[in-house]
Amino acid sequence: MSESTEKKMVRLRSSDGEVFEVEESVAKVAKTLQDMLEEDCADAVIPITCVRAPILTKVIDYCKDQVMISSSSSTTNNPNERTEQERKAWGQKFMEGVDSSTLCELLVASNFLNIEGLLNLGVDKMVSMIQGKYPQEIRDMFNVVNDFTPEEEEEIRNQNAWAFERDPYYKKRSSSK
Amino acid sequence: MRRASRVLRGTGRFRRREIAAAAMVFPSVPDEILVQILIRLPVKSLLRFRSVCKAWRSLISEPFFVDFHLHQQSLRDPQILLLSCAGEVGEFCLESLADERGILERKLSAVPVESILTPSCNGLILIHRDYSQCIYVFNVSTRKLLTLPDCSPSLHVNLGLGYDPPVGTYKVVRLFHNREGDAHLHCEIFTLGSPEWRRIGEVRYKLDVRGFPASVDGALYWLTDYDSHQNKSEVIISFVLREERFKVIPHPKRCAGEKRRYMQLWEFRGDLYLQDSSGKPVMNLWVLKDHKEGIWVKNYTINLHRCGYALHDIPYVKPVSICRDGRLYFSLFGRLFYYDPHTETFEVVLLDLALCEILFPYVESLVPLRKEMKAFAD
């Protein structure tokens, strides 16, 4: 078997120990992996220490798609080439049904692996998810603890009362326990 | 493995101290990503999210955050501010045309009638109660209003708001006559955060003060008045906020003579535009490409004949806003049009603007109106 005709494969290990085998071109969509592979400092199996298997699966899906688009982009009339609108629609579809905790993990993964396109998709998705939300929804979504006293919270809300409209989640707390 | 910490598209100017300010905010998402998410949100959401927790509140108030947010918002298609009499009797109503074409959202508080409003500078506008010495600065997005100290008792002529980016100061520039019959034009300045107005003396150019000066990148721009200004080769006058000095800048060579009567200056997407007409029912827009060399490029030639207008309608056409992809909004006789330069097609977006006093683009902005506004210098 001659090595040159075979596509070079790269193995990635997720934080929970699952090993994925992907083509080198797919792995190289991630700038972090590209640097490692080009500097030849990649181990036989590259540990992706902060990314769980289900998230890595999604990341690899994204990278495969990027390779598919760019593979024939040198030729004119590339059937895979997308218009701005199609790209937008594809991005929305790719992010469809992703919940907030998965999205957080995807953001961490794409930042760690340095995949700008995926990071941007994630950021846009997060923006659309939280845009119209009320403070309590944000706290629930991201496990943030409300560390204001009732008086402080009310004061901040009063500074821009118009922005809260009728907040269904807000009940005036009393300061005495 | 090296950690790939990169800031995504846009500015890459995070510093350690700034990151520390954002730390602990969003335990599951790296801080630089959190900032990238939040700067894409409208001001209304951010004002709400100030009450999520203390860390979010301080992050959203940080000068670097306000700056990043403004920069990010200015990359989007601008929203259009409409001022109309649609509100209660005796009040104007500010409305805004959102990103999506044709969606009109009433979102702003009422401002007093008989007010003059200037175009927005970083989301701030000036409101001047007519015939009074009272001038306000208004942040359209946060709805905060700052009352300036009274300006000098004099005959008001013109008003403009400018921003000096490296220093981070906002300056209100006011032109006036000392009294009725005073032929000389004088200038006074109010630097936001300072205690009082400063007179900087007489303006030796006769300026066209029908509209407002265009506020672009640390300077205000006026045209000279075609009839009264003696030296016809002096067409565009700049006022650099740092130097506080009026001076002539080059104009497009072919914009001269009678044509000048229909000329106007505008600011769109951070560039200075010159509107002119070439004696046909055509609106031209020139953009100043190079301030140093004075290079103007004509980038719009819009044939208004194609949407049913004639030469005598030209003085009434007004460009309103330019989108990222080059498409342009303009108003003419109470209608708002949307023009696509790629296909040279027109579309009427709003039909009945008869009651509209102003139509200006503006960006979402968190810029605070407190006394010390120099925090941005950092």
Side-chain angles (χ1 to χ4, degrees), chain B residues 93-113:
Chain B
C93 203
L94 289 168
E95 297 174 300
S96 84
L97 192 65
D99 273 1
E100 300 297 318
R101 277 180 294 152
I103 297 174
L104 197 63
E105 187 194 353
R106 177 171 305 175
K107 58 181 340 181
L108 296 161
S109 52
V111 296
V113 275

Side-chain angles (χ1 to χ4, degrees), chain A residues 150-151 173-177:
Chain A
E151 292 80 8
R173 294 180 294 159
S174 77
S175 53
S176 55
K177 283 177 281 179

Side-chain angles (χ1 to χ4, degrees), chain B residues 310-328:
Chain B
L311 183 60
H312 56 260
D313 299 322
I314 282 295
Y316 307 99
V317 64
K318 193 184 120 178
V320 172
S321 176
I322 294 179
C323 302
R324 273 174 307 174
D325 61 0
R327 284 182 283 188
L328 173 114

Side-chain angles (χ1 to χ4, degrees), chain A residues 6 12 17 23 26 47 71 80 89 101-102 110 120 131 144 159 170:
Chain A
E6 279 291 299
L12 309 172
E23 286 174 23
V26 171
S71 60
N80 298 325
S101 64
T102 307
S110 51
N120 288 335
Q131 190 156 324
V144 178
Q159 284 166 3
Y170 182 66

